[in-house]
Short mmCIF file of all heavy atoms in Angstrom, two decimals:
data_model
loop_
_atom_site.label_atom_id
_atom_site.label_comp_id
_atom_site.label_asym_id
_atom_site.label_seq_id
_atom_site.Cartn_x
_atom_site.Cartn_y
_atom_site.Cartn_z
N VAL R 656 38.34 111.24 12.42
CA VAL R 656 38.74 110.53 13.53
C VAL R 656 38.85 111.50 14.74
O VAL R 656 39.63 112.53 14.67
CB VAL R 656 40.09 109.81 13.40
CG1 VAL R 656 40.48 109.09 14.67
CG2 VAL R 656 39.91 108.79 12.20
N GLY R 667 42.88 102.15 1.57
CA GLY R 667 41.54 102.67 1.59
C GLY R 667 40.88 102.65 3.02
O GLY R 667 39.72 102.85 3.10
N VAL R 669 40.35 104.09 6.82
CA VAL R 669 40.57 105.18 7.68
C VAL R 669 40.90 104.63 9.07
O VAL R 669 40.12 103.93 9.64
CB VAL R 669 39.29 106.10 7.73
CG1 VAL R 669 39.47 107.23 8.79
CG2 VAL R 669 38.97 106.66 6.42
N LYS R 678 36.85 107.86 18.10
CA LYS R 678 35.48 108.16 17.58
C LYS R 678 35.59 108.43 16.04
O LYS R 678 36.24 109.42 15.70
CB LYS R 678 34.89 109.37 18.27
CG LYS R 678 34.58 109.07 19.77
CD LYS R 678 33.91 110.31 20.38
CE LYS R 678 33.54 110.00 21.79
NZ LYS R 678 32.81 111.12 22.47
N LYS R 685 31.30 104.89 0.60
CA LYS R 685 31.52 103.54 1.16
C LYS R 685 32.86 103.64 1.93
O LYS R 685 33.96 103.45 1.38
CB LYS R 685 31.72 102.50 0.16
CG LYS R 685 30.38 102.29 -0.65
CD LYS R 685 30.55 101.18 -1.71
CE LYS R 685 29.26 100.90 -2.35
NZ LYS R 685 29.37 99.77 -3.25
N ASN R 695 36.19 101.75 20.59
CA ASN R 695 36.01 102.37 19.30
C ASN R 695 34.55 102.59 18.93
O ASN R 695 33.71 101.65 19.12
CB ASN R 695 36.62 101.39 18.21
CG ASN R 695 38.06 101.09 18.45
OD1 ASN R 695 38.94 101.92 18.26
ND2 ASN R 695 38.36 99.95 19.13
N PHE R 706 33.02 98.23 8.83
CA PHE R 706 33.59 98.53 10.21
C PHE R 706 34.57 97.35 10.52
O PHE R 706 34.11 96.20 10.74
CB PHE R 706 32.42 98.51 11.27
CG PHE R 706 31.40 99.57 10.85
CD1 PHE R 706 30.20 99.16 10.31
CD2 PHE R 706 31.59 100.84 11.09
CE1 PHE R 706 29.17 99.98 10.01
CE2 PHE R 706 30.62 101.82 10.67
CZ PHE R 706 29.43 101.39 10.14
N ILE R 708 36.79 95.38 13.00
CA ILE R 708 37.04 95.15 14.40
C ILE R 708 38.14 94.18 14.51
O ILE R 708 38.10 93.04 14.03
CB ILE R 708 35.72 94.49 15.11
CG1 ILE R 708 34.59 95.63 14.99
CG2 ILE R 708 36.02 94.15 16.54
CD1 ILE R 708 33.29 95.08 15.49
N ALA R 710 41.13 92.11 16.50
CA ALA R 710 41.58 91.48 17.77
C ALA R 710 42.89 91.99 18.20
O ALA R 710 43.12 92.21 19.40
CB ALA R 710 41.58 89.95 17.60
N TRP R 712 44.29 94.86 18.11
CA TRP R 712 44.21 96.13 18.85
C TRP R 712 43.42 95.96 20.19
O TRP R 712 43.75 96.65 21.19
CB TRP R 712 43.58 97.23 18.03
CG TRP R 712 44.43 97.53 16.82
CD1 TRP R 712 44.03 97.54 15.44
CD2 TRP R 712 45.81 97.81 16.76
NE1 TRP R 712 45.13 97.77 14.70
CE2 TRP R 712 46.22 97.93 15.41
CE3 TRP R 712 46.79 97.94 17.76
CZ2 TRP R 712 47.58 98.25 15.08
CZ3 TRP R 712 48.08 98.24 17.39
CH2 TRP R 712 48.44 98.35 16.10
N GLY R 717 44.59 96.30 25.94
CA GLY R 717 44.17 95.82 27.21
C GLY R 717 42.67 95.93 27.40
O GLY R 717 42.08 96.08 28.47
N LYS R 725 28.01 95.20 30.12
CA LYS R 725 28.29 96.49 30.60
C LYS R 725 28.89 97.35 29.48
O LYS R 725 29.85 96.90 28.78
CB LYS R 725 29.27 96.45 31.77
CG LYS R 725 28.74 95.85 33.08
CD LYS R 725 29.74 95.86 34.08
CE LYS R 725 29.30 95.11 35.33
NZ LYS R 725 30.27 95.05 36.38
N PHE R 726 28.45 98.60 29.33
CA PHE R 726 28.92 99.49 28.30
C PHE R 726 30.53 99.60 28.45
O PHE R 726 31.18 99.68 27.49
CB PHE R 726 28.32 100.74 28.35
CG PHE R 726 28.51 101.60 27.10
CD1 PHE R 726 27.88 101.36 25.90
CD2 PHE R 726 29.46 102.57 27.09
CE1 PHE R 726 28.11 102.07 24.73
CE2 PHE R 726 29.77 103.28 25.94
CZ PHE R 726 29.10 103.04 24.75
N PHE R 736 24.35 100.92 12.19
CA PHE R 736 24.54 99.81 11.19
C PHE R 736 23.24 99.80 10.32
O PHE R 736 22.14 99.61 10.82
CB PHE R 736 24.67 98.44 11.97
CG PHE R 736 25.19 97.40 11.01
CD1 PHE R 736 26.53 97.17 10.83
CD2 PHE R 736 24.22 96.64 10.27
CE1 PHE R 736 26.98 96.16 10.04
CE2 PHE R 736 24.71 95.60 9.46
CZ PHE R 736 26.07 95.42 9.32
N ALA R 754 36.52 81.96 13.32
CA ALA R 754 35.29 81.85 12.54
C ALA R 754 34.23 81.12 13.29
O ALA R 754 34.51 80.04 13.93
CB ALA R 754 35.59 81.11 11.19
N ASN R 786 33.76 92.12 23.39
CA ASN R 786 32.29 92.53 23.24
C ASN R 786 32.14 93.73 22.41
O ASN R 786 32.98 94.58 22.41
CB ASN R 786 31.74 92.79 24.60
CG ASN R 786 32.07 91.76 25.62
OD1 ASN R 786 31.48 90.64 25.61
ND2 ASN R 786 32.91 92.05 26.54
N PHE R 802 28.65 90.17 8.08
CA PHE R 802 30.01 90.10 8.58
C PHE R 802 30.77 88.89 8.04
O PHE R 802 30.16 88.04 7.48
CB PHE R 802 29.92 89.95 10.12
CG PHE R 802 29.27 88.64 10.64
CD1 PHE R 802 29.94 87.49 10.92
CD2 PHE R 802 27.84 88.54 10.73
CE1 PHE R 802 29.42 86.33 11.31
CE2 PHE R 802 27.22 87.38 11.17
CZ PHE R 802 28.04 86.31 11.43
#
Side-chain angles (χ1 to χ4, degrees):
V656 176
V669 176
K678 290 185 178 182
K685 295 181 177 184
N695 302 285
F706 306 102
I708 298 177
W712 298 126
K725 293 180 184 176
F726 194 80
F736 194 91
N786 309 290
F802 63 94

